[in-house]
């Protein structure tokens, strides 16, 4: 069966019958662990300025909006760069994509080391922008790496662990900046920033060396029949033709919108978390970092739980819809407990929100892979993330504006309403599990 005939068979709902040689390699776990650390080394820098925004504005003499841009630059740069990055991933494979991304992450981190001076915000922002561009070689990889290295009964769990790396990095970004820069005195801020930048640069350089030495593109034999035929299809398919097919896949387009709403709102909350906490609990800047950590840690657990559920039940649409609805409910609970005056309650409700909202990330990736098979996972995930970044910037700007004009209660109600719109969009996605049909 040719690759074109195979695609037609899958799209027509006919399971393929060809038999191919497959093997699952033990070193797949080492590859996955290296990727998790690599993803974390980039993601931990996303929020490192915003979570100590009050100190950054005081030290560098910039506005709150300028600090917001240190988060939003991750989103803005992703959109134009994801298409060449996805092409690079499809053309040259996982190893070269990882090398380029790790090098950029390390380079940007070392540039930040040179920016510990009150008049050097433009330098720190330049280095941060290079790190932001480098994430385009990371965010699309988990679904691709899981499919290339793992068998059909582990692929969802592997994807969730891959996404776990991004969450681990964000958790580090929430936790350590408030610890390393605890004081508002300029000398203390300078010392804390210097220590933070050097630690980050050393860690990213170590990861870059690990990737150069140990990271591999793909195993000699594919882990499943579906992956075997996808290798053949990828070798002969045109990148632009693949994008065209994705853009005419109704289920995928609906998932694009619903996924972007959920994750875009998560980006907005994360970016402005310091402001939200300080509004209700003055002087609790370190608690803002810990609450962010609680959100991400709960999300890590949610990701793993959802990955296991997907591998066990293969109920992709049902799981996606259930997690989405609970994300909306979690946002409601979080919003209406901020005014109670007990910060421990915020920790609890934020963790509940994080379990479902952050746990949704790998679920959306895997549902996209099911809806778009046998298109390359890197391409479908890349477009998914590109739309997310657009929504993330829009929601962050909208959220900031609503908080300043109406207060955070009305701002949070607006975000809750958008989550229920996303849940409705998820409900109407067709349950077209193409990869499951091709598994055997």
């Amino acid at each position: 069966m040719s690759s074109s005939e195979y695609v037609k068979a899958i799209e027509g709902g006919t399971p393929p019958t060809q038999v191919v040689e497959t093997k699952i390699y033990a070193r797949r776990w080492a590859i996955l662990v290296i990727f998790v650390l690599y993803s974390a080394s980039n993601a931990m820098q996303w929020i490192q300025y915003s979570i100590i925004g009050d100190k950054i504005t005081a030290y560098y003499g910039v506005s709150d909006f300028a600090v917001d841009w240190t988060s939003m630059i991750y989103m803005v740069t992703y959109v134009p760069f994801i298409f060449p990055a996805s092409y690079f991933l499809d053309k040259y494979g996982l190893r070269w994509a990882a090398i380029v991304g790790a090098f950029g992450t390390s380079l940007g981190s070392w540039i930040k080391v040179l920016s510990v001076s009150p008049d050097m915000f433009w330098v720190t922002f330049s280095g941060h922008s290079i790190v932001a561009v480098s994430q385009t070689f990371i965010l699309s990889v988990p679904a691709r790496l899981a499919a290339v290295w793992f068998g059909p009964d582990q692929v969802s769990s592997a994807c969730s662990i891959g996404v776990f790396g991004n969450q681990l990095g964000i958790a580090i970004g929430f936790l350590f900046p408030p610890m390393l820069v605890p004081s508002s005195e300029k000398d203390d801020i300078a010392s804390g920033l210097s220590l933070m930048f050097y630690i980050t640069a050393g860690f990213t350089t170590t990861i870059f060396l690990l990737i150069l030495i140990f990271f591999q593109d793909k195993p000699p034999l594919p882990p499943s029949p579906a992956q075997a035929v996808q290798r053949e299809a990828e070798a002969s398919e045109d990148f632009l033709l693949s994008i065209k097919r994705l853009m005419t896949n109704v289920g995928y387009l609906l998932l694009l919108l619903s996924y972007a709403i959920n994750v875009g709102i998560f980006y907005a909350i994360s970016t402005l978390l310091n402001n939200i906490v300080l509004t209700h609990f003055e002087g609790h800047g370190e608690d803002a970092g810990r609450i962010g950590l609680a959100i991400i840690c709960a999300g890590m657990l949610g990701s793993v739980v959802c990955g296991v559920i997907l591998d066990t039940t293969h109920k992709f649409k049902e799981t996606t819809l259930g997690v989405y609805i609970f994300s909306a409910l979690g946002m409601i609970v979080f919003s209406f407990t901020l005014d109670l005056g007990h910060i421990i309650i915020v920790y609890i409700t934020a963790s509940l929100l994080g379990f479902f909202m952050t746990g949704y990330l790998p679920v959306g990736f895997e549902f996209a892979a099911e809806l778009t098979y046998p298109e390359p996972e890197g391409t479908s995930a890349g477009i998914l993330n590109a739309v997310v970044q657009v929504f993330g910037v829009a929601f962050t700007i909208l959220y900031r504006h609503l908080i300043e004009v109406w207060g955070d209660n009305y701002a949070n109600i607006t975000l809750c309403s958008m989550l229920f719109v996303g849940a409705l969009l998820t409900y109407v996605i067709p349950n077209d599990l193409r990869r499951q049909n091709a598994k055997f």
Side-chain angles (χ1 to χ4, degrees):
M1 178 184 290
S2 69
S3 60
S4 60
E5 291 171 337
Y6 182 82
V7 172
K8 290 178 181 178
I10 294 299
E11 291 179 342
T14 304
T17 58
Q18 65 184 78
V19 178
V20 294
E21 185 179 2
T22 63
K23 182 178 179 180
I24 297 176
Y25 294 82
R27 64 177 178 269
R28 69 193 185 281
W29 293 109
I31 299 296
L32 184 58
V33 168
I34 292 174
F35 174 77
V36 166
L37 295 175
Y38 161 47
S39 179
S41 72
N42 184 280
M44 70 185 191
Q45 301 184 59
W46 167 49
I47 209 74
Q48 67 180 180
Y49 297 100
S50 294
I51 200 59
I52 52 172
D54 54 323
K55 298 180 179 68
I56 296 297
T57 55
Y59 182 74
Y60 285 111
V62 296
S63 65
D64 289 334
F65 191 63
V67 177
D68 289 348
W69 266 104
T70 62
S71 169
M72 291 192 294
I73 194 66
Y74 263 65
M75 309 170 206
V76 171
T77 56
Y78 191 90
V79 178
F81 286 101
I82 185 53
F83 293 104
S86 293
Y87 175 79
F88 189 92
L89 175 62
D90 292 339
K91 181 77 172 176
Y92 299 103
L94 286 170
R95 174 173 166 79
W96 277 107
I99 288 173
V100 172
F103 175 77
T105 300
S106 181
L107 175 63
S109 301
W110 280 108
I111 290 175
K112 290 184 189 181
V113 170
L114 306 175
S115 68
V116 185
S117 175
D119 61 345
M120 289 291 185
F121 184 77
W122 68 273
V123 175
T124 209
F125 192 82
S126 298
H128 196 65
S129 298
I130 294 174
V131 177
V133 171
S134 301
Q135 73 159 337
T136 57
F137 294 93
I138 300 173
L139 291 186
S140 305
V141 168
R144 170 68 171 261
L145 187 149
V148 167
W149 280 94
F150 287 81
D153 293 325
Q154 292 181 330
V155 66
S156 294
S157 296
C159 180
S160 69
I161 294 172
V163 174
F164 173 93
N166 181 267
Q167 297 168 343
L168 174 64
I170 296 173
I172 294 171
F174 274 122
L175 177 63
F176 285 104
M179 293 173 59
L180 296 173
V181 192
S183 172
S184 296
E185 296 294 327
K186 278 209 168 185
D187 289 344
D188 293 334
I189 293 175
S191 177
L193 288 176
S194 180
L195 179 60
M196 180 173 70
F197 292 153
Y198 270 110
I199 290 173
T200 302
F203 181 59
T204 56
T205 302
T206 302
I207 299 303
F208 175 57
L209 294 176
L210 282 175
I211 288 174
L212 276 179
I213 297 170
F214 297 110
F215 200 81
Q216 297 178 4
D217 183 38
K218 60 186 176 184
L221 293 174
S224 66
Q227 181 58 213
V229 181
Q230 188 166 22
R231 282 192 185 186
E232 178 192 344
E234 288 178 5
S236 59
E237 288 295 350
D238 179 79
F239 178 71
L240 293 178
L241 185 60
S242 177
I243 291 178
K244 180 180 178 181
R245 282 197 297 268
L246 289 173
M247 291 297 98
T248 56
N249 184 323
V250 175
Y252 178 66
L253 294 177
L254 289 170
L255 181 64
L256 273 181
L257 291 176
S258 62
Y259 187 87
I261 290 171
N262 190 301
V263 184
I265 288 174
F266 166 70
Y267 285 175
I269 293 172
S270 298
T271 301
L272 300 180
L273 185 61
N274 181 260
N275 301 74
I276 296 169
V277 172
L278 290 179
T279 297
H280 293 272
F281 303 93
E282 187 176 350
H284 284 259
E286 287 193 46
D287 281 297
R290 296 189 190 112
I291 291 170
L293 176 66
I295 291 173
I296 300 303
C297 287
M300 292 179 191
L301 178 61
S303 294
V304 174
V305 169
C306 290
V308 172
I309 290 173
L310 289 179
D311 277 332
T312 303
T313 66
H314 307 301
K315 300 290 185 181
F316 289 85
K317 178 178 177 177
E318 295 85 348
T319 303
T320 304
L321 180 60
V323 172
Y324 212 118
I325 291 173
F326 280 109
S327 293
L329 295 176
M331 184 65 194
I332 291 175
V333 173
F334 174 75
S335 301
F336 288 97
T337 54
L338 285 170
D339 286 327
L340 295 180
H342 301 288
I343 199 163
I344 186 64
I345 295 178
V346 180
Y347 275 93
I348 296 170
T349 57
S351 298
L352 177 67
L353 176 65
F355 182 88
F356 293 106
M357 184 169 280
T358 314
Y360 172 79
L361 296 174
V363 176
F365 270 167
E366 285 298 283
F367 195 20
E370 290 292 333
L371 291 170
T372 61
Y373 183 84
E375 307 301 337
E377 294 88 356
T379 305
S380 61
I383 296 174
L384 203 67
N385 279 317
V387 178
V388 163
Q389 312 310 315
V390 174
F391 276 60
V393 172
F395 279 131
T396 300
I397 294 173
L398 175 64
Y399 197 32
R400 166 76 72 182
H401 176 72
L402 292 177
I403 288 174
E404 292 175 348
V405 175
W406 289 339
D408 59 83
N409 284 333
Y410 285 103
N412 288 334
I413 290 172
T414 301
L415 297 189
C416 291
S417 301
M418 294 304 300
L419 283 171
F420 278 107
V421 171
L424 179 61
L425 290 172
T426 303
Y427 178 76
V428 299
I429 296 174
N431 198 21
D432 183 15
L433 306 183
R434 299 179 180 182
R435 189 171 64 179
Q436 290 301 304
N437 293 334
K439 189 168 68 173
F440 304 107

